[in-house]
Amino acid sequence: MSEPEIVVLPDPEASAAAAAERIAAILVEAAAARGRAHWATTGGSTPAAIYRGLAVAPLRDTVPWAQVELWWGDDRFVPFDHPLSNVSIAAADLLDIGATSGESGTGAYGVDVIAGRTAGAPIPAQNVHPFPIPKAIAEATDPEWAAERYVEMLRADGPPTEGGWPVFDLVFLGVGPDGHVLSVFPGSEAFDRDEIAMGIPAPTHVEPHVARVTLNPRIIDTARRVIVVSHGAAKASILAEILTSERDVRRLPAQLARRPGATWILDEAAASQLPR
Ligand code: 6PG
């Protein structure tokens, strides 16, 4: 199989439910096989409903959350409680850190968690690994500093490596309107960098215009499984181009996820320009 699996479902709700089920199954399998399930997650508008599906029964009760290690593929250089933060989405819709730590309030990540709420995946606080962006901001450093610390964090607690690159059990991605994944934009210098994580200047061609930190696009090649989720007619044309045009990942970075072991979960609107 040289191409990814493409799953098309009637609407965003069905697609989010399918994505949550796939993610849960991958985490269960990785934890059973290797004792840990290393997941690099994403931002954008698609994760919230997927997170909510994982945060309640039955999926909440099927995943061995204590064995899940949650990382981020990229984030914006803003505090964790900022609406643009990819961490804030997980804090709002996925994590139940308080249930595990027995505490509520602002936890180790600087995000509010609610003790003992019945929804929420009880991933232990020490297994949640956001980019240390608030520390970088507090110390008046830059995205590159946060990226360097993240590389150290990955070396200490991250997944096994292959040729020096982390092998995540799951990389979960959204697709940007320009065909970007992670914070790797068309023509990105990230393709020429050897670091596992790096700072990225604020893009001017897509919103939001804020600086980022991102993992190296190589981690999409080394991941065991990749899940891409995209919804809506606004993405139909770029998705058709990504999935059908000749491979040129520097022009369309999302083509990195056109690989075996990847599953693209689209709603009908997003898939409307794909050949059937
Ligand atoms: C960004 C975007 C991006 C996002 C995709 C998918 O920071 O440039 O937010 O990272 O993942 O644009 O977004 P949707 O989930 O809304 O399709």
Side-chain angles (χ1 to χ4, degrees):
M1 185 180 74
S2 63
E3 286 292 313
E5 176 190 25
I6 298 175
V7 178
V8 180
L9 290 156
D11 50 45
E13 292 72 30
S15 149
E21 276 174 29
R22 298 283 183 126
I23 288 172
I26 291 168
L27 298 177
V28 167
E29 193 192 319
R34 289 174 293 282
R36 300 265 106 190
H38 288 274
W39 170 11
T41 195
T42 187
S45 63
T46 46
I50 297 167
Y51 286 163
R52 287 195 292 272
L54 286 162
V56 296
L59 296 180
R60 181 188 193 269
D61 305 329
T62 63
V63 177
W65 294 108
Q67 290 165 266
V68 173
E69 303 281 348
L70 185 64
W71 303 87
W72 272 261
D74 72 324
D75 209 345
R76 289 80 175 265
F77 199 67
V78 294
F80 293 151
D81 59 359
H82 191 284
L84 289 176
S85 164
N86 292 346
V87 174
S88 73
I89 310 164
D93 290 307
L94 178 68
L95 300 174
D96 183 14
I97 304 159
T100 305
S101 66
E103 291 166 11
S104 60
T106 302
Y109 333 105
V111 293
D112 288 334
V113 292
I114 304 160
R117 68 178 180 187
T118 50
I123 304 178
Q126 67 271 19
N127 295 12
V128 180
H129 310 279
F131 287 93
I133 292 170
K135 196 155 192 275
I137 294 171
E139 298 188 5
T141 59
D142 55 14
E144 208 61 60
W145 182 92
E148 283 164 17
R149 300 291 81 69
Y150 213 52
V151 174
E152 293 166 3
M153 289 161 65
L154 281 162
R155 284 216 184 91
D157 297 314
T161 57
E162 190 182 282
W165 299 101
V167 179
F168 287 97
D169 295 293
L170 168 64
V171 172
F172 170 34
L173 300 169
V175 179
D178 56 348
H180 78 262
V181 282
L182 305 170
S183 283
V184 177
F185 299 99
S188 178
E189 63 165 60
F191 288 105
D192 300 311
R193 301 265 310 253
D194 294 328
E195 298 91 341
I196 294 168
M198 67 200 80
I200 297 287
T204 52
H205 70 293
V206 284
E207 292 185 339
H209 307 304
V210 290
R212 323 293 183 89
V213 275
T214 189
L215 296 184
N216 192 298
R218 290 290 298 276
I219 64 101
I220 301 174
D221 295 330
T222 52
R224 288 177 189 277
R225 296 294 312 276
V226 177
I227 299 270
V228 185
V229 183
S230 196
H231 300 154
K235 296 278 172 70
S237 152
I238 193 78
L239 286 167
E241 208 183 339
I242 292 161
L243 289 167
T244 64
S245 70
E246 198 175 322
R247 186 178 163 94
D248 178 359
V249 297
R250 286 180 186 248
R251 185 173 77 86
L252 292 170
Q255 287 184 329
L256 288 164
R258 233 175 82 181
R259 47 152 279 194
T263 301
W264 292 62
I265 301 176
L266 311 176
D267 71 346
E268 278 289 352
S272 60
Q273 293 184 30
L274 293 183
R276 308 284 179 103

